[in-house]
Amino acid sequence: MSSLLPNGRSIVLIGLMGCGKSTVGRELSRATSFPFLDTDMLIEEQVGMEIPQIFAELGEPRFRALETALLNYLRDNPSSRSSGIIATGGGMILRPENRLILRSLGFVVWLDVDLPNLLSRTARAQNRPLLHIEDRESRLRELMDIRSPLYEQTAHLRINSSNLKASQVVDLILQHAHTFFASPPSNEAT
Ligand code: S3P
């Protein structure tokens, strides 16, 4: 399985908060022995603050700039420490330049989960400042409306994972990743 990813290439997970990027990413990492990277965690380590504190003290625009800087770093330093299985923050696809960089990193998979599942999966999370509001359903619906076309245009593969177990999602991703890396789109090879 360790021959899955060509040198410096990654499997990149995108999707809304609560879609399972971290769970699936960790399981993919275990299944393939490639390192697991989480862009939120890398930013937290770099800044020395947790995401809610970054939003409160530095503001969302600064957080978005940190996301872009991190993606640039990952693209420019394709080593065994900066590639593997990458879970991204839900808003990573908002900037056009991020969408291009994400595709250049490797195989991009959108975990598409329906609203009821997102609502229940984010019910107890305290670490998501965008959901620190009374009406989480309206907020998630709004984010879904705005972002779905952006996830769509960024992803090489969309998986409707609402009713799938993490292990089933992992199996699907691995099947498609083998095909992708055997013949990646020629205009995206790094
Ligand atoms: C965000 C999603 C979060 C985190 C930040 C903003 C978003 O990551 O990056 O709170 O804009 O959707 P997760 O999708 O991992 O929760």
Side-chain angles (χ1 to χ4, degrees):
M1 192 55 81
S2 59
S3 63
L4 172 68
L5 294 180
N7 259 351
R9 310 282 282 155
S10 293
I11 294 175
V12 182
L13 304 177
I14 62 173
L16 281 172
M17 293 173 276
C19 72
K21 291 164 292 188
S22 299
T23 307
V24 168
R26 285 181 200 285
E27 205 155 310
L28 263 175
S29 167
R30 269 194 299 275
T32 60
S33 303
F34 285 100
F36 174 68
L37 288 83
D38 179 306
T39 60
D40 284 343
M41 281 171 48
L42 291 172
I43 290 171
E44 287 181 331
E45 277 169 25
Q46 184 201 342
V47 181
M49 296 182 202
E50 299 198 342
I51 300 290
Q53 201 186 352
I54 296 176
F55 270 66
E57 295 187 17
L58 307 181
E60 183 174 345
R62 178 84 189 109
F63 175 72
R64 299 300 173 200
L66 288 164
E67 286 190 313
T68 300
L70 175 59
L71 282 191
N72 276 305
Y73 176 84
L74 295 176
R75 182 197 48 200
D76 296 341
N77 297 277
S79 71
S80 57
R81 285 181 56 245
S82 56
S83 60
I85 312 298
I86 304 178
T88 58
M92 190 62 98
I93 42 62
L94 289 172
R95 289 185 170 193
E97 70 259 49
N98 291 8
R99 301 200 285 275
L100 287 175
I101 300 172
L102 286 167
R103 282 181 74 94
S104 78
L105 294 178
F107 184 46
V108 184
V109 181
W110 172 21
L111 303 183
D112 186 16
V113 169
D114 62 26
L115 193 56
N117 274 289
L118 288 179
L119 263 175
S120 65
R121 294 185 196 185
T122 55
R124 277 179 298 281
Q126 296 301 309
N127 57 347
R128 294 183 168 116
L130 295 182
L131 298 181
H132 286 173
I133 50 162
E134 193 80 5
D135 189 354
R136 278 187 310 118
E137 180 167 355
S138 298
R139 169 61 57 83
L140 277 169
R141 185 178 289 115
E142 181 190 24
L143 292 176
M144 192 176 254
D145 288 347
I146 293 169
R147 295 178 179 182
S148 290
L150 305 178
Y151 292 128
E152 177 94 61
Q153 61 178 259
T154 308
H156 295 105
L157 172 70
R158 169 186 184 172
I159 297 180
N160 184 337
S161 52
S162 304
N163 300 307
L164 297 181
K165 290 188 212 141
S167 58
Q168 294 173 302
V169 179
V170 166
D171 287 346
L172 275 173
I173 292 175
L174 289 177
Q175 283 165 27
H176 285 86
H178 279 289
T179 312
F180 177 87
F181 287 116
S183 54
S186 54
N187 58 339
E188 287 174 8
T190 49

